Structures are given as C-alpha cells and as structure tokens.
Amino acid sequence: MSANPDPSKEPKTPPQSPNNTTTPPIPNAVIDRSDQGTGEDGAKQWGYDLYPERRGEKYQPSWGRVLLGIEGQENLDKIKCERNVYSCVKNSPMVKLMMGALKSSGCAIDIRRHIACEVCDVSVSGGYDPVLNQVVVCQNIARNEGIVQGVLTHEMIHMFDYCRNDLDFKNIDHLACTEIRAANLTHCSFMSAWTQGDASPFKIKEAHQDCVKTKALNSVLAVRKVTPEEAIAAVERVFPKCYNDLEPIGRRIRRNSKDMYKAYMEGPMYGYDVD
C-alpha cells in the first residue's frame, strides 16, 4: 500500500481567533508535518524526524528489541496495517464519508497511492504528508482497526483542508486551524476530555473546547520547533472560526454513540458522494 511518490496537488481553509490553555507534554498523538527541511535541524523543524521512511531511511531494528520480540516483524506489521486500512475503507462510516467528501471535492483517494503504512517514531500514530499528498499510518503504533480508523479520519481531515482551501502547513495559524478541526470532529468526547484533565460535569461545553485546544496545541508542538507560548497564541488566534467549521462531517462525534452513522447518512445532503 506504500504509494509511489508522484506528488498530487489540489485546491485548499485558512483560519482566525480563542481562550485559556495550559502547556501539557507532547502526547502520543496523531500529527501532520510540513515542507521538508534540510539536515537534522531541518528535519526536526518540520517533523520529518518522526517519519524516518519519509527521509529515505530504512528502519533498522535493534538486536536487543528483536530478541525481546518487540521489533523485527516490520514486514508482518505492514501487512496487518494494510489489512486494517482496507477494512476501514470498506466498512468504516467515518472513513467512507471522508473519502466521499474528498472525491466530491475533486481529490479522490486511491488507497495504493494516497495511504502508506510505515514505521514511525513512537510519539505519533500517523501523519499527513502534503508534499506527496499521502496519509501515513504508523504500523508500529496503530496496531488495531479502531486506532487505524481514528488515524485515517484525522489525517483525511488535513487532506480535505489541503484539497479544499489555501492551506499552508508552514503557516502556524493554518496548522493550528486544521489540528483544531481534526480534534474537534474526531477525538474530543467527554471521556477523552476527562482523561486529559479537561472535563467537568458542570461545564461540558467548555470541557470539549479545552480538550480540542489541548490536542491541537500538543500536535503543533510535536511537529513545529516553536515555543509553547507561540503555539498557544496560534491556537487562540484561530480557535473560534476553526472550532465552528464542521465540514465535511457536519457534527461532532461522541464516543459510543450513533453519531458517525448519522454523519455518514447525512453526507449526500451536503453533496458528498458516499458509497
């Protein structure tokens, strides 16, 4: 499923302004990255150090971890990852909705070309590469179908933003905006907010917003060599506009609800070609 590097470009939603936030540590998060840097500093500046295969490096497992059974099955991991991707493409209402929205926007996905399973740094579970217009699924982290579904949906939101709007991943406000949208639409249920320490039964709406800000902030910090203050400022600047932009899913998805099926059924109402 690793695609050939034939860059594909398509149209592209910049941002605007939001509130409080703390500076939590960088999480084991789904992130995206931007234009290639040069050298080690350039790779870290744009997040390429998190995706060694994106830099043309072949993953080398350590003998110690191979003997412990932690590494050394990369080919098998890739096969399992590709099977999970295929299953999500065929069965997941969220992934099918995103693929339909991309197709209707003139950016149809060929899973052999636009989705790649790779070994990544353990701090990330996936990414979006705007240079090659590919979603990366981290086969060493996203090991089951549920996680793969979350990665695909999250990264396809970045792909959708890049396709439909004039999105520049080197612009920290644009990056913050697309991370806010992905967290808002796919991740921040009440339970997710609770585990992050952002939830309160007395302010559920604020808890959801704080969860989205936390996840967006962590993703920006993970892939940009900026200070926490700069990342917070970018998230706050664009938050109101980007938080209220629910395209193409049309609703915030709650955990253990029928929301994803409702969103899928509503897709044709918004002109999206869902199968």
Side-chain angles (χ1 to χ4, degrees), residues 3-19:
N4 56 48
D6 172 23
S8 148
K9 199 152 180 197
E10 287 112 17
K12 315 175 189 181
T13 278
Q16 230 176 37
S17 52
N19 250 352

Side-chain angles (χ1 to χ4, degrees), residues 6-202:
D6 172 23
S8 148
K9 199 152 180 197
E10 287 112 17
K12 315 175 189 181
T13 278
Q16 230 176 37
S17 52
N19 250 352
N20 68 61
T21 5
T22 54
T23 51
I26 295 173
N28 185 14
V30 179
I31 64 171
D32 64 328
R33 47 186 199 86
S34 182
D35 196 16
Q36 290 192 42
T38 55
E40 187 174 343
D41 288 342
K44 290 180 179 177
Q45 172 76 20
W46 302 111
Y48 268 69
D49 58 318
L50 304 173
Y51 306 88
E53 293 187 37
R54 302 274 111 180
R55 293 183 290 150
E57 297 180 6
K58 184 167 177 58
Y59 178 73
Q60 298 292 337
S62 72
W63 281 109
R65 292 173 71 84
V66 169
L67 291 174
L68 291 172
I70 300 171
E71 296 180 351
Q73 301 187 51
E74 285 68 40
N75 290 336
L76 180 59
D77 286 345
K78 182 181 282 290
I79 292 170
K80 289 179 178 177
C81 175
E82 292 177 349
R83 285 178 178 167
N84 284 332
V85 168
Y86 183 77
S87 180
C88 287
V89 166
K90 289 297 182 184
N91 303 313
S92 166
M94 293 297 290
V95 174
K96 290 165 71 175
L97 172 59
M98 288 306 306
M99 291 183 68
L102 282 158
K103 181 179 178 181
S104 298
S105 302
C107 309
I109 288 183
D110 178 341
I111 63 172
R112 296 165 298 179
R113 160 67 185 86
H114 294 108
I115 304 174
C117 289
E118 298 178 6
V119 178
C120 311
D121 184 269
V122 295
S123 66
V124 295
S125 53
Y128 172 61
D129 184 345
V131 177
L132 299 181
N133 192 29
Q134 283 184 328
V135 169
V136 179
V137 180
C138 298
Q139 64 189 51
N140 54 320
I141 303 298
R143 292 183 177 274
N144 64 55
E145 191 173 327
I147 298 175
V148 170
Q149 174 185 252
V151 170
L152 290 175
T153 307
H154 181 114
E155 303 306 337
M156 284 180 186
I157 290 171
H158 297 324
M159 184 181 275
F160 179 84
D161 286 349
Y162 187 68
C163 168
R164 284 280 294 263
N165 309 292
D166 190 19
L167 193 70
D168 178 4
F169 282 95
K170 291 183 285 184
N171 183 319
I172 192 171
D173 283 9
H174 289 207
L175 175 60
C177 183
T178 192
E179 291 294 357
I180 287 166
R181 282 181 22 76
N184 183 27
L185 292 169
T186 63
H187 291 301
C188 280
S189 65
F190 181 80
M191 285 306 298
S192 177
W194 185 274
T195 58
Q196 282 187 184
D198 292 324
S200 164
F202 304 107

